[in-house]
Amino acid sequence: MSYFDNADKELKVDSMFKRSQGKKKLSTINYKERVFVLTPKQLQYYEGTPQKRGKMKGTVDLIKVKVVEAVDDNAFDKQYCFQVVYQEYTLYIIANNEEQQSEWIYAIQEECRKNKTLLSYYHPGAFIGNQWTCCHNTDKQAMGCQKTFVNTVSNSQVFLDKPLPPLPPTPLENEGLNVVALYSFQGIESGDLSFSKGDEFTILISEGEHWCLARDRNGQKGYIPVNYVREKGGLDTECWYFGDIMRHVAEDKLIKEQKEGTFLVRNSSKDGLMTLSLLHAGVVKHYHIKQDENKFYKISPRHCFPTIPELIEYHKLNSGGLVTRLRQPPSSDTNPPTVGLGHGKWEIDRSEINLGHEIGNGQFGRVCKGWWRGTTEVAVKMMKPNSMSEDDFIEEAKVMQHFHHPNLVQLYGVCSQTPIYIITEFVPNGCLLTFLRKQRSQKLSVLCEIVFHVASAMAYLESKNFIHRDLAARNCLVGMNLVVKVCDFGLSRFVIDDEYTASEGTKFPIKWAAPEVIMYNRFSSKSDIWAYGILMWEVFSGGMSPYASYGNPQVVSYIMSGKRLKKPESCRSGIYTIMKDCWLECPDHRPSFGIVIRRLKSLLGEDYADAFD
Ligand code: ADP
């Protein structure tokens, strides 16, 4: 049918509620029942009932429509609401049920798909009390915070028999990589660019690994932290994609939200597959996203799409076999640490640090919580004078500052005058060893996740050819959502204390040391793997001390005679096999961290095989 054929044909007629548009400043907000009629050219609404239609109360010319999308249930505390954005107005319509809502959105979108003015982004919330309920932006005219169907369903099977909608204008030049911000960022140093989540940039110059010079859509140039942005188009930029989180973490996240239809997509414990986790009536359901023979993605056999974002967009409008349609992703966590506190910033001005209370007292001195420039939470390690080779450490720390991984404590910089302050990311839930001891009866899945996090950080260090040298539960911290972070990497080399550094010393961590370290002081990633095996043992034994009743000389003869720690009571034999492989006599026979990760993943796949609907 051509666009202007049968212009008056009534495609759809239904009674629904219309929210007053507030065009007149003094009118109060109300909801009136109207008969809505969709024709190829207009959306009309009338008084009366579908059977006995009254006076026409208004029309929207479809050619002027820019967005047709669902509205979050919490925007007006009304379910099944959808929006039709045209010119500078938004018409909010409240359907009577989910099916009606999806059908109307779909039907109007179909009639508007050729519009030249379709927007690429929209607000799933409403502008109430001087801000958008969805993204809290206080600018009413601010660009939407979520992609519209224009961007996401252009090739899907749903529309295969229809012409494609016009492509949105490409606002960015093609000179560099185009990226999208995952988080908002407040520039710190002059030359840094401030931005909001969802903003887009072109990368102009990549300087090192962690900061780059970029230009935003308004032509402003400045430095941005690389880990705050992702290349446009990948799953990583989707606010609902949570990557490698495990089933129970996903469940906790969704249940905490207490909002019907909250959902996320995560990598499944089965290699290569993805899982959709969805909250319905307080219970989380998990669905495998499968691929058909054409490599199209599907959850139910009837709805297949070339990409996962298209699949998700479809199920936002239609439950299509799910317990409910997808509504919103969980609210995002706090921003990740940047590498350094500004681009090229390494030396930190001591006067800019406000010290808070003491959070620990370690080998090198006191550790305090602090704030940098009053806003950024940090941990401050105040090194005891003469406890470390300061110059060597400062040189090395310049390298360590560039390490960046979600399971490594981020080093921000140093105050290099004595007493040296080492400034790092603040990790709120303290030392892993204390955590294990306090909460002995942790679920097996939580313990597996802890060792998985540590292995991920260590695989990263291994890929950088960096040796930790003092890996143990006491040198790991527990962050938000039980994310474990490895700290103190490489620090032991700078300690000035023979009792700590020499294998005969009383403070030398011999119980974590591989035979070649004890014998020849030979450290490598394979001696880190040995220590990792001991850390696994600490984790699965609920924070017990390894070889508890032995002194250092007895541990050495125990190990050298080929004996190893026994399996902790509740530990699965598959996990214990990994530990024992970490303790193989010959370093070359021990697995790499990459292999440990693969083996943990396949074990998790077996042990915690997801139950899917
Ligand atoms: P040292 O290396 O000098 O022995 P640690 O690094 O073990 O000191 O720190 C001592 C304690 O301080 C830790 O057990 C932990 O409770 C606390 N702590 C250290 N670093 C941080 C941090 N970045 N965030 C939160 N707490 C920390």
Side-chain angles (χ1 to χ4, degrees):
M1 185 179 80
S2 101
Y3 190 72
F4 293 106
D5 282 348
N6 296 325
D8 296 328
K9 184 178 167 202
E10 296 190 351
L11 303 171
K12 216 166 164 45
V13 180
D14 260 323
S15 200
M16 294 182 287
F17 284 83
K18 172 184 164 291
R19 187 179 196 268
S20 58
Q21 283 177 270
K23 285 184 184 172
K24 294 184 202 110
K25 279 211 161 59
L26 292 176
S27 61
T28 50
I29 293 300
N30 58 41
Y31 295 88
K32 290 206 172 116
E33 190 161 18
R34 296 284 179 238
V35 180
F36 284 84
V37 177
L38 180 67
T39 74
K41 277 174 105 174
Q42 283 190 327
L43 175 64
Q44 308 164 342
Y45 44 97
Y46 298 83
E47 286 179 333
T49 63
Q51 293 74 28
K52 196 160 182 285
R53 208 179 288 174
K55 200 168 133 203
M56 183 191 268
K57 297 298 288 181
T59 58
V60 174
D61 289 335
L62 295 186
I63 196 79
K64 295 174 185 160
V65 168
K66 300 184 205 170
V67 168
V68 187
E69 296 286 349
V71 174
D72 286 347
D73 291 352
N74 60 357
F76 310 119
D77 269 335
K78 297 244 181 274
Q79 277 189 304
Y80 319 126
C81 181
F82 64 96
Q83 56 183 308
V84 180
V85 182
Y86 63 102
Q87 292 169 308
E88 68 269 38
Y89 305 113
T90 303
L91 177 63
Y92 291 105
I93 301 169
I94 293 97
N96 296 297
N97 53 51
E98 190 169 334
E99 206 184 343
Q100 191 179 47
Q101 178 199 31
S102 315
E103 282 177 9
W104 271 87
I105 293 175
Y106 183 62
I108 306 174
Q109 281 180 351
E110 279 301 282
E111 297 311 309
C112 300
R113 56 188 303 117
K114 288 184 177 172
N115 287 3
K116 294 269 185 307
T117 50
L118 290 179
L119 296 179
S120 306
Y121 288 86
Y122 77 107
H123 290 284
F127 196 77
I128 291 175
N130 288 329
Q131 62 169 315
W132 287 100
T133 56
C134 39
C135 55
H136 307 295
N137 198 323
T138 50
D139 177 6
K140 192 171 182 185
Q141 305 308 326
M143 190 178 86
C145 53
Q146 218 169 87
K147 278 186 196 169
T148 55
F149 83 114
V150 180
N151 266 352
T152 48
V153 291
S154 52
N155 276 323
S156 75
Q157 273 206 334
V158 185
F159 298 116
L160 273 188
D161 55 339
K162 310 275 181 176
L164 297 179
L167 286 172
T170 37
L172 294 168
E173 298 123 271
N174 261 343
E175 57 196 294
L177 198 62
N178 289 335
V179 295
V180 185
L182 301 179
Y183 312 93
S184 298
F185 173 72
Q186 188 61 48
I188 311 165
E189 291 300 300
S190 66
D192 293 350
L193 206 54
S194 297
F195 53 83
S196 305
K197 184 175 169 179
D199 284 358
E200 297 184 14
F201 309 89
T202 301
I203 303 292
L204 302 174
I205 304 171
S206 288
E207 258 191 18
E209 260 181 282
H210 303 293
W211 292 81
C212 60
L213 186 64
R215 180 173 44 229
D216 68 14
R217 277 187 164 184
N218 304 322
Q220 298 242 48
K221 286 184 198 171
Y223 284 90
I224 60 173
V226 171
N227 63 317
Y228 273 46
V229 297
R230 286 281 185 283
E231 188 174 353
K232 259 185 90 173
L235 270 193
D236 280 348
T237 56
E238 301 291 354
C239 46
W240 39 257
Y241 178 63
F242 280 69
D244 263 335
I245 62 167
M246 286 171 75
R247 181 188 170 95
H248 72 275
V249 180
E251 288 180 349
D252 290 350
K253 255 184 204 307
L254 296 175
I255 289 169
K256 221 165 38 190
E257 295 284 317
Q258 296 185 348
K259 266 197 235 155
E260 174 72 5
T262 307
F263 73 99
L264 58 83
V265 174
R266 61 191 169 89
N267 297 339
S268 168
S269 52
K270 295 193 178 65
D271 245 356
L273 275 182
M274 292 212 198
T275 301
L276 169 74
S277 302
L278 168 62
L279 183 70
H280 170 60
V283 177
V284 179
K285 297 269 184 183
H286 303 273
Y287 300 89
H288 261 162
I289 301 178
K290 302 195 180 111
Q291 275 182 294
D292 67 9
E293 60 285 2
N294 301 318
K295 298 266 175 248
F296 275 41
Y297 294 93
K298 60 177 183 180
I299 291 173
S300 66
R302 286 195 302 124
H303 310 291
C304 308
F305 299 88
T307 66
I308 291 180
E310 291 169 51
L311 175 83
I312 296 298
E313 286 309 311
Y314 173 77
H315 285 288
K316 277 186 181 170
L317 303 178
N318 305 278
S319 52
L322 308 181
V323 279
T324 182
R325 77 178 168 82
L326 310 179
R327 289 188 170 80
Q328 62 284 314
S331 43
S332 56
D333 292 334
T334 45
N335 291 0
T338 54
V339 176
L341 292 168
H343 98 273
K345 187 147 182 85
W346 162 243
E347 175 72 39
I348 292 173
D349 185 344
R350 203 178 297 255
S351 67
E352 292 182 345
I353 302 278
N354 292 334
L355 286 179
H357 63 281
E358 184 173 310
I359 46 179
N361 208 332
Q363 161 80 20
F364 302 104
R366 291 198 308 141
V367 184
C368 288
K369 182 171 182 177
W371 286 266
W372 180 73
R373 292 196 182 165
T375 51
T376 308
E377 251 181 355
V378 294
V380 183
K381 211 172 198 167
M382 295 181 259
M383 309 304 281
K384 276 187 232 160
N386 306 321
S387 66
M388 74 183 324
S389 344
E390 297 185 349
D391 293 347
D392 294 344
F393 165 73
I394 285 169
E395 273 315 298
E396 179 65 9
K398 283 182 191 162
V399 176
M400 281 151 49
Q401 186 206 19
H402 291 289
F403 292 163
H404 181 73
H405 187 276
N407 301 110
L408 278 184
V409 174
Q410 183 67 49
L411 178 62
Y412 285 139
V414 294
C415 306
S416 64
Q417 302 300 313
T418 312
I420 290 185
Y421 283 3
I422 302 179
I423 315 292
T424 65
E425 165 191 7
F426 173 73
V427 187
N429 296 317
C431 172
L432 173 62
L433 187 58
T434 317
F435 173 85
L436 293 168
R437 288 178 178 174
K438 263 200 228 144
Q439 323 209 3
R440 287 232 157 154
S441 51
Q442 281 291 352
K443 279 195 284 188
L444 211 56
S445 55
V446 174
L447 302 180
C448 287
E449 190 160 9
I450 291 173
V451 293
F452 191 80
H453 287 174
V454 176
S456 306
M458 293 305 295
Y460 174 84
L461 290 181
E462 185 180 52
S463 74
K464 303 272 176 199
N465 293 318
F466 191 91
I467 310 167
H468 188 299
R469 292 165 188 254
D470 196 8
L471 181 62
R474 63 179 176 279
N475 281 333
C476 298
L477 297 169
V478 183
M480 299 281 278
N481 299 322
L482 300 191
V483 173
V484 174
K485 295 182 181 241
V486 173
C487 66
D488 285 349
F489 34 99
L491 223 56
S492 62
R493 281 168 300 157
F494 309 104
V495 176
I496 306 177
D497 182 349
D498 286 347
E499 291 299 327
Y500 182 84
T501 50
S503 58
E504 318 78 65
T506 50
K507 295 185 202 157
F508 186 82
I510 213 137
K511 293 176 174 178
W512 286 260
E516 70 276 12
V517 170
I518 298 172
M519 303 285 288
Y520 317 110
N521 223 13
R522 196 177 292 150
F523 288 92
S524 65
S525 292
K526 294 297 169 104
S527 62
D528 276 352
I529 266 283
W530 179 290
Y532 176 78
I534 307 285
L535 179 144
M536 282 182 82
W537 187 92
E538 293 180 274
V539 169
F540 285 94
S541 68
M544 278 166 57
S545 294
Y547 321 96
S549 56
Y550 291 0
N552 281 1
Q554 287 162 299
V555 173
V556 174
S557 47
Y558 188 79
I559 291 300
M560 293 307 176
S561 65
K563 294 193 193 123
R564 299 293 183 258
L565 285 165
K566 301 276 173 293
K567 184 172 88 62
E569 223 171 82
S570 58
C571 177
R572 306 287 299 253
S573 57
I575 298 272
Y576 184 56
T577 308
I578 301 182
M579 284 182 213
K580 281 195 303 189
D581 287 351
C582 295
W583 303 327
L584 288 171
E585 179 80 37
C586 170
D588 292 342
H589 293 166
R590 294 174 208 149
S592 65
F593 283 103
I595 288 182
V596 166
I597 286 178
R598 280 229 297 280
R599 287 176 58 181
L600 280 173
K601 266 198 166 181
S602 79
L603 269 182
L604 298 181
E606 280 168 30
D607 291 353
Y608 308 106
D610 292 352
F612 294 96
D613 292 339

